[in-house]
Amino acid sequence: MQSEDKIFDFIIIGAGIAGASVADYLAPEAEICVVEAESQAGYHATGRSAAMYVPAYGPPAIRKLTRASGDFFHNPPEGFSDTSLLSPRDILLVGTKEQSGSFDDFKKTIKSASNMVPISANGLQDYQPLLRDGYGAQGLLDPTGSDIDVDALHRGFLRQATQNGAEVKTNHIITSMMYQNGVWHLNHKQGVIKAKAIINAAGAWAEEIGRMAGAEHISLTPKRRTALIISADPSLDLLNMPMTIDIDEAFYLKPEAGQILISPANEDPMAPCDAQADEMDIAICIDRIERAFNLNIRRIESKWAGLRSFVPDKEPVVGYSEMAEGFFWLAGQGGYGIQTSPAMGRMAAALALGREIPDDIQQQGLAEDSLLSARLQR
Ligand SMILES: Cc1cc2nc3c(=O)[nH]c(=O)nc-3n(C[C@H](O)[C@H](O)[C@H](O)COP(=O)(O)OP(=O)(O)OC[C@H]3O[C@@H](n4cnc5c(N)ncnc54)[C@H](O)[C@@H]3O)c2cc1C
């Protein structure tokens, strides 16, 4: 059968981590096609992350999905990846004397804070030797963090999906779509592709795709985050150095493949695009990092920016549209789309197939209505 005549069960728009993970879980049960605008899957947010697994990070549903993803990260299916997906990396939250209220708020909001180790001002440099003398007044050490091998995770999802029959078409930009007699017709430069249902995993472009489909407005805002790589003194023990995050998330620093990644943790709203590091963000980053750490940054080895896309409550939007038939949202992963992807992809596949949220994910306390777009209209 010619591809143009074929009617897939699902077309997934976007081959980032969201599209790849849901494709993996749907492929054994449905005929699916993943369409990706770029020549390379993972070119946008997925390929630009800080690659961290931080269970205490993000709003409630995100934390539940992160916890529900833990098992997969530790025990991926046979043959999923040649390397382990996680490498332990402690997280150190730091703050100055003026930020003590932020620690109180954090402890009130995040239940797992009670399992973190409080570090006094005197002890901070034992954990993070780069901190300036007298900078930090207190810290909280979270031993449950890890570095994620994002490339292995993303490739693993895509490989399993294709082994189970999924088609992946790169260089396919969906430009418009129409729903006719129970079938979605998606137009791209090379022709038309058809499916009974669409999964919108288009990252920063998800609102644009929703508009094409006549779906509800979800107020998705892509926000630019910038990251820089600087060289590290060879005498530093980078293996055991914690990722160090300002308690108000004004900056972070983490070891990255023998170098150091720094970020001003910016969230600058912008239209969906191929985001680039902005000179002002770079200057702010260097200033904040040099205030907190004993670093004199003369040279930037590399720099990039990516878009983290949020709806107003910062929780993801996962479920069928209330307005456009057969149109499924998988959007708003914000700054947590990698660490939540195993559970998010599995849950999205179940919901797209008309099933309930898998038991183990429900047991984390996740309810379906907290994920639907309808919550945004309240
Ligand atoms: C600097 C930075 C640090 C981060 N750190 C972390 C972290 O430590 N841990 C974590 O879990 N998360 C982190 N994130 C967030 C994470 O990267 C995202 O949540 C995640 O990658 C989103 O994945 P996605 O598949 O939804 O989007 P994307 O990876 O952007 O994929 C969407 C895809 O859809 C395609 N697309 C869009 N429109 C169309 C169209 N019309 N037709 C066809 N294809 C289309 C795009 O080309 C794109 O490839 C970070 C992000 C940034 C920028």
Side-chain angles (χ1 to χ4, degrees):
M1 193 191 283
Q2 285 296 305
S3 186
E4 287 226 345
D5 298 325
K6 180 166 179 172
I7 300 175
F8 291 96
D9 293 318
F10 294 97
I11 290 173
I12 298 169
I13 304 179
I17 201 78
S21 57
V22 72
D24 178 1
Y25 287 103
L26 278 176
E29 304 202 42
E31 287 211 78
I32 63 168
C33 179
V34 185
V35 287
E36 168 54 53
E38 302 290 346
S39 59
Q40 189 198 335
Y43 175 77
H44 288 287
T46 297
R48 306 179 190 204
S49 85
M52 283 302 297
Y53 177 84
V54 186
Y57 193 35
I62 289 290
R63 296 202 300 275
K64 291 167 189 168
L65 287 163
T66 304
R67 284 201 301 273
S69 296
D71 254 4
F72 181 97
F73 278 120
H74 290 289
N75 303 300
E78 179 100 22
F80 186 87
S81 166
D82 297 337
T83 54
S84 72
L85 296 174
L86 293 186
S87 317
R89 167 89 51 211
D90 290 350
I91 312 294
L92 178 63
L93 298 169
V94 292
T96 60
K97 209 163 58 195
E98 290 71 33
Q99 292 174 290
S100 65
S102 303
F103 279 97
D104 297 340
D105 292 346
F106 182 82
K107 286 175 197 160
K108 265 185 234 147
T109 333
I110 308 289
K111 235 177 21 190
S112 63
S114 58
N115 301 326
M116 297 182 191
V117 185
I119 314 285
S120 66
N122 292 341
L124 282 172
Q125 284 161 318
D126 295 341
Y127 293 93
Q128 178 47 277
L130 284 174
L131 274 176
R132 280 193 187 281
D133 288 346
Y135 174 82
Q138 60 173 309
L140 267 182
L141 190 79
D142 177 0
T144 63
S146 294
D147 290 339
I148 304 173
D149 187 335
V150 179
D151 186 48
L153 179 69
H154 187 222
R155 273 191 292 116
F157 284 138
L158 284 176
R159 188 175 48 245
Q160 287 204 157
T162 49
Q163 279 168 356
N164 282 311
E167 290 185 32
V168 179
K169 295 178 189 292
T170 52
N171 289 314
H172 276 59
I173 308 180
I174 301 302
T175 50
S176 62
M177 59 186 76
M178 184 180 69
Y179 192 60
Q180 210 173 31
N181 302 326
V183 177
W184 279 102
H185 299 238
L186 278 70
N187 299 312
H188 53 90
K189 259 198 199 140
Q190 298 91 322
V192 182
I193 182 165
K194 298 175 199 162
K196 293 176 202 151
I198 294 174
I199 297 190
N200 177 10
W205 289 264
E207 184 95 77
E208 216 165 75
I209 297 291
R211 206 172 299 126
M212 282 182 204
E216 55 276 60
H217 183 55
I218 61 164
S219 303
L220 186 78
T221 308
K223 296 185 175 177
R224 183 182 61 221
R225 176 157 288 190
T226 305
L228 316 179
I229 296 285
I230 55 172
S231 62
D233 187 312
S235 67
L236 287 169
D237 177 8
L238 293 180
L239 193 64
N240 294 306
M241 181 180 283
M243 178 182 199
T244 307
I245 311 178
D246 171 65
I247 185 71
D248 292 317
E249 217 186 333
F251 61 77
Y252 60 77
L253 171 152
K254 68 166 284 222
E256 179 73 26
Q259 298 181 305
I260 292 177
L261 184 156
I262 54 175
S263 172
N266 51 321
E267 292 193 343
D268 305 314
M270 59 195 310
C273 65
D274 186 355
Q276 303 295 320
D278 174 270
E279 287 307 318
M280 184 59 88
D281 294 346
I282 296 173
I284 292 171
C285 182
I286 293 174
D287 177 60
R288 291 181 185 172
I289 293 290
E290 287 188 343
R291 275 170 201 260
F293 301 95
N294 244 323
L295 288 166
N296 186 5
I297 302 165
R298 297 243 174 265
R299 201 179 123 93
I300 295 162
E301 302 297 329
S302 62
K303 58 184 177 183
W304 69 89
L307 299 178
R308 301 156 81 246
S309 299
F310 296 93
V311 298
D313 64 9
K314 293 199 154 187
E315 297 281 27
V317 183
V318 187
Y320 278 106
S321 161
E322 309 248 309
M323 284 175 64
E325 213 176 319
F327 183 85
F328 190 95
W329 289 103
L330 181 51
Q333 289 84 349
Y336 333 99
I338 312 290
Q339 65 179 35
T340 52
S341 60
M344 187 100 76
R346 187 157 54 92
M347 178 180 74
L351 294 173
L353 290 166
R355 299 179 190 149
E356 304 233 308
I357 295 180
D359 284 350
D360 64 302
I361 303 179
Q362 278 193 46
Q363 278 159 20
Q364 297 291 344
L366 199 66
E368 198 174 323
D369 58 1
S370 68
L371 300 164
L372 293 175
S373 59
R375 77 178 194 271
L376 303 166
Q377 267 82 58
R378 274 183 212 137

